[in-house]
Amino acid sequence: MEVHLLDQVEEIIGYNFQRKHLLEQALTHSSFSEAISYERLEFLGDSNISIVIDTHLYNAYPNLSPSHLTDLHKANVCTEKLARVAIRLGLHHFVRQRGSPVFEQVDQFVDAIAQECQPVWECGSMKAPKVLADIVESIIGAVYIDTNHDLNILSPLVERILEPIVTANDLFPEINKKVPINMELRIYEDEDGNPTVEKAKHKLQEVCAIKKWPQPVYKREKESGPPHKKRYVSSVQIIVEDDTLKISGYEKCRVNNSENSAASLMLIDLQERNYL
């Protein structure tokens, strides 16, 4: 598999593999008989995604019943949700395959999503092809192996890839007021010395959901540097009651990091304005 294609996938998921062959295997469908397929990595990734999401839900909703936690789990790791993640990130473009009929279904699914008025995480107009969810799971499995089973590295990567996480407010709006969520902001300095909020993009999404504000809108404001050393500045905009707030983050080497920086500054600003 060409190196530049692997580099593109690494840029998309925000992780650089030490053992590139793992990513190559994670992108190999069983119809590509010349190489080992992703099926074993998919098996591992399925379990990894579940433990990361379940740990997040357990910590985020300390008073939510087990049955509601189970429903949230299903909404976040179901085939439909993972398939839509694969399409949103464009991962289906990088799969090695030999004319498998399932990829005709993938094209149809992409077209069906394009015609939707608003994003959904389940019950779309067309059943999601399982192969799309398999791709996401196999990549997560490959990262887990490449990090030597380090969940401290894997967990934020999984949460970032699966954004937006389906929240209690999304699934159970009728009980939202009875379900407190841990909105504590853990602020630290990143490698550049800039203030950063842990899981900032996810936290901002949850704040907007609980406050019943529209979801954050991210925009790439600036891109500079040569192709191998790109730098990005992103902004985030939210509508707070009758006011529109927009903040740009610090310059970062990845788009995801630049968006996280913008979300961090927005959360800090909301805290200063006593919205949190």
Side-chain angles (χ1 to χ4, degrees):
M1 193 168 183
E2 296 182 21
V3 174
H4 77 278
L5 295 177
L6 297 177
D7 290 343
Q8 289 180 48
V9 176
E10 289 181 330
E11 176 68 26
I12 289 170
I13 67 174
Y15 177 80
N16 293 321
F17 279 81
Q18 300 300 312
R19 291 169 278 182
K20 304 290 184 182
H21 72 277
L22 287 170
L23 178 57
E24 190 172 48
Q25 181 181 340
L27 295 168
T28 302
H29 186 256
S30 58
S31 62
F32 194 87
S33 57
E34 299 94 319
I36 300 174
S37 78
Y38 58 59
E39 291 175 346
R40 283 174 57 84
L41 290 175
E42 172 211 336
F43 165 79
L44 188 61
D46 177 46
S47 299
N48 294 150
I49 291 173
S50 288
I51 189 63
V52 170
I53 291 300
D54 289 351
T55 300
H56 164 78
L57 295 174
Y58 180 86
N59 291 330
Y61 300 101
N63 295 326
L64 199 61
S65 70
S67 62
H68 284 113
L69 287 173
T70 298
D71 289 341
L72 273 175
H73 163 88
K74 291 178 180 178
N76 278 294
V77 305
C78 66
T79 296
E80 178 92 15
K81 172 65 189 292
L82 295 183
R84 288 171 179 271
V85 167
I87 296 300
R88 174 172 56 81
L89 298 179
L91 297 174
H92 58 297
H93 295 305
F94 299 93
V95 179
R96 296 196 295 179
Q97 53 98 13
R98 292 294 189 198
S100 174
V102 298
F103 285 89
E104 296 179 8
Q105 299 173 20
V106 169
D107 293 337
Q108 296 171 10
F109 186 66
V110 172
D111 292 341
I113 290 178
Q115 297 174 26
E116 292 175 350
C117 297
Q118 60 183 13
V120 299
W121 62 81
E122 61 180 352
C123 300
S125 60
M126 176 184 172
K127 183 179 179 180
K130 182 178 179 297
V131 65
L132 291 171
D134 294 345
I135 295 167
V136 176
E137 291 170 344
S138 63
I139 289 175
I140 296 304
V143 173
Y144 182 66
I145 295 295
D146 196 58
T147 61
N148 295 317
H149 315 153
D150 191 337
L151 286 175
N152 290 324
I153 297 175
L154 187 71
S155 294
L157 182 143
V158 170
E159 292 182 21
R160 183 173 68 249
I161 287 178
L162 265 59
E163 290 178 346
I165 304 293
V166 181
T167 68
N169 186 69
D170 295 322
L171 217 55
F172 320 116
E174 73 282 357
I175 66 168
N176 184 56
K177 293 182 180 180
K178 301 178 183 178
V179 183
I181 183 169
N182 180 11
M183 296 307 300
E184 176 187 2
L185 301 185
R186 297 182 61 183
I187 303 174
Y188 61 95
E189 289 188 357
D190 63 15
E191 66 278 5
D192 299 318
N194 301 319
T196 301
V197 175
E198 185 179 40
K199 303 178 182 178
K201 288 181 67 177
H202 179 66
K203 287 286 187 182
L204 184 58
Q205 173 205 341
E206 290 186 326
V207 168
C208 290
I210 290 174
K211 297 285 188 179
K212 300 189 183 302
W213 299 335
Q215 285 297 297
V217 176
Y218 293 91
K219 181 181 178 182
R220 193 180 307 177
E221 298 288 348
K222 180 181 176 184
E223 182 175 326
S224 60
H228 64 289
K229 286 188 177 180
K230 285 285 188 182
R231 304 285 291 181
Y232 306 93
V233 174
S234 295
S235 66
V236 62
Q237 177 177 298
I238 63 173
I239 298 176
V240 176
E241 298 172 359
D242 295 325
D243 194 10
T244 299
L245 304 180
K246 182 177 180 179
I247 289 181
S248 292
Y250 295 102
E251 187 178 69
K252 297 295 178 182
C253 62
R254 295 184 183 278
V255 174
N256 278 328
N257 292 349
S258 69
E259 291 179 349
N260 195 71
S261 176
S264 295
L265 296 184
M266 179 64 77
L267 285 167
I268 293 171
D269 184 63
L270 290 173
Q271 189 174 60
E272 292 174 351
R273 293 170 181 263
N274 294 321
Y275 280 114
L276 304 182

Coordinates of all heavy atoms in Angstrom, one line a residue, residues 10 15 24 33 65 132 139 165 170 175 182 196 203 208-209 228 231 248 253-254 256 263 265 267:
E10 N -3.4 8.4 8.8 CA -2.8 8.8 10.0 C -3.2 10.3 10.4 O -3.5 10.6 11.5 CB -1.3 8.7 10.0 CG -0.8 7.2 10.0 CD 0.7 7.1 10.0 OE1 1.4 8.0 9.4 OE2 1.3 6.2 10.6
Y15 N -3.1 9.9 14.6 CA -2.2 9.0 15.2 C -1.1 8.5 14.2 O -1.5 8.1 13.1 CB -2.9 7.8 15.8 CG -2.0 6.8 16.4 CD1 -1.4 7.0 17.7 CD2 -1.6 5.6 15.7 CE1 -0.6 6.0 18.3 CE2 -0.7 4.7 16.3 CZ -0.2 4.9 17.5 OH 0.7 4.0 18.1
E24 N -1.9 -0.9 7.5 CA -2.1 -1.5 6.2 C -3.1 -2.7 6.3 O -4.0 -2.8 5.5 CB -0.8 -1.9 5.6 CG -0.9 -2.3 4.1 CD 0.5 -2.5 3.5 OE1 1.3 -3.2 4.1 OE2 0.7 -2.0 2.4
S33 N -7.1 -10.8 -1.6 CA -6.5 -12.1 -1.1 C -5.0 -12.1 -1.0 O -4.4 -13.0 -0.4 CB -7.0 -13.2 -2.0 OG -6.6 -13.0 -3.4
S65 N -29.2 5.2 35.3 CA -29.5 3.7 35.6 C -28.7 2.8 34.6 O -28.4 3.3 33.5 CB -30.9 3.5 35.4 OG -31.4 3.5 34.1
L132 N -18.4 -0.9 6.8 CA -17.9 0.4 7.2 C -17.6 0.5 8.7 O -16.6 1.0 9.1 CB -19.0 1.5 6.9 CG -19.2 1.8 5.4 CD1 -20.4 2.6 5.2 CD2 -18.0 2.4 4.8
I139 N -9.2 -0.4 12.6 CA -8.2 0.7 12.8 C -8.0 0.9 14.3 O -6.8 1.1 14.7 CB -8.7 2.0 12.1 CG1 -8.6 1.9 10.6 CG2 -7.8 3.2 12.6 CD1 -9.1 3.1 9.8
I165 N -20.2 12.1 20.4 CA -20.7 11.1 21.3 C -22.2 11.3 21.5 O -22.6 12.4 21.8 CB -20.0 11.0 22.6 CG1 -18.5 10.8 22.4 CG2 -20.5 9.9 23.5 CD1 -18.1 9.5 21.8
D170 N -29.4 13.6 24.1 CA -29.9 13.2 22.8 C -30.9 12.0 22.9 O -31.9 12.0 22.2 CB -28.7 12.7 22.0 CG -27.7 13.7 21.7 OD1 -28.1 14.9 21.4 OD2 -26.5 13.5 21.7
I175 N -35.8 13.0 30.6 CA -35.2 12.8 31.9 C -33.9 13.6 32.1 O -33.3 13.5 33.1 CB -34.9 11.3 32.2 CG1 -33.8 10.8 31.3 CG2 -36.1 10.5 32.1 CD1 -33.3 9.4 31.8
N182 N -21.0 15.2 34.8 CA -19.8 15.8 35.4 C -19.3 16.8 34.4 O -18.6 16.5 33.4 CB -18.8 14.7 35.6 CG -17.5 15.3 36.2 OD1 -17.4 16.4 36.6 ND2 -16.5 14.4 36.2
T196 N -5.3 24.2 27.9 CA -6.1 23.2 27.2 C -7.0 22.5 28.1 O -6.6 22.2 29.3 CB -5.2 22.1 26.5 OG1 -4.3 22.8 25.6 CG2 -6.0 21.1 25.8
K203 N -16.6 17.9 25.7 CA -17.2 18.7 26.7 C -18.1 19.8 26.2 O -19.2 20.1 26.7 CB -16.1 19.3 27.6 CG -15.4 18.3 28.5 CD -16.3 17.9 29.7 CE -15.5 17.1 30.7 NZ -16.4 16.6 31.8
C208 N -23.5 22.3 25.2 CA -24.5 22.7 24.2 C -25.8 21.9 24.3 O -26.9 22.4 24.2 CB -23.9 22.8 22.8 SG -22.7 24.1 22.6
A209 N -25.6 20.6 24.4 CA -26.7 19.7 24.5 C -27.6 19.9 25.7 O -28.8 20.0 25.7 CB -26.3 18.2 24.4
H228 N 4.5 18.7 4.4 CA 4.9 17.7 5.4 C 5.0 18.4 6.8 O 5.2 17.7 7.8 CB 6.3 17.1 5.1 CG 7.4 18.1 5.1 ND1 7.5 19.1 4.1 CD2 8.5 18.3 5.9 CE1 8.6 19.8 4.3 NE2 9.2 19.4 5.4
R231 N 0.5 23.6 9.5 CA 0.0 24.1 10.7 C -1.4 24.7 10.5 O -1.7 25.3 9.4 CB 1.0 25.3 11.2 CG 2.4 24.9 11.4 CD 2.6 24.0 12.6 NE 2.4 24.8 13.8 CZ 2.6 24.3 15.1 NH1 2.9 23.0 15.2 NH2 2.4 25.1 16.1
S248 N -11.1 31.7 18.1 CA -10.1 30.9 17.4 C -9.1 30.4 18.4 O -8.8 31.0 19.4 CB -9.4 31.8 16.4 OG -10.3 32.2 15.4
C253 N -0.4 21.5 14.8 CA 0.1 20.7 13.7 C -1.0 19.7 13.1 O -0.8 19.1 12.0 CB 1.3 19.9 14.0 SG 1.1 18.7 15.4
R254 N -2.1 19.6 13.8 CA -3.2 18.7 13.3 C -4.5 19.5 13.4 O -4.7 20.3 14.3 CB -3.3 17.4 14.1 CG -2.1 16.5 13.9 CD -2.4 15.2 14.7 NE -1.3 14.3 14.7 CZ -1.0 13.5 13.7 NH1 -1.7 13.5 12.6 NH2 0.1 12.7 13.7
N256 N -7.5 18.3 14.1 CA -8.2 17.9 15.3 C -7.6 18.7 16.5 O -8.4 19.1 17.4 CB -8.0 16.4 15.6 CG -9.0 15.6 14.8 OD1 -10.1 16.1 14.5 ND2 -8.6 14.4 14.4
A263 N -12.0 24.8 21.1 CA -13.1 24.4 22.0 C -12.6 24.6 23.5 O -13.4 25.0 24.3 CB -13.3 22.9 21.9
L265 N -10.6 27.1 24.6 CA -10.8 28.5 24.9 C -12.2 28.9 25.0 O -12.6 29.8 25.8 CB -10.1 29.3 23.8 CG -8.6 29.1 23.7 CD1 -8.0 30.1 22.6 CD2 -7.9 29.4 25.0
L267 N -14.7 26.9 26.2 CA -15.1 26.5 27.5 C -14.6 27.4 28.6 O -15.4 27.7 29.5 CB -14.6 25.0 27.7 CG -15.4 23.9 26.9 CD1 -14.6 22.6 27.0 CD2 -16.8 23.7 27.5

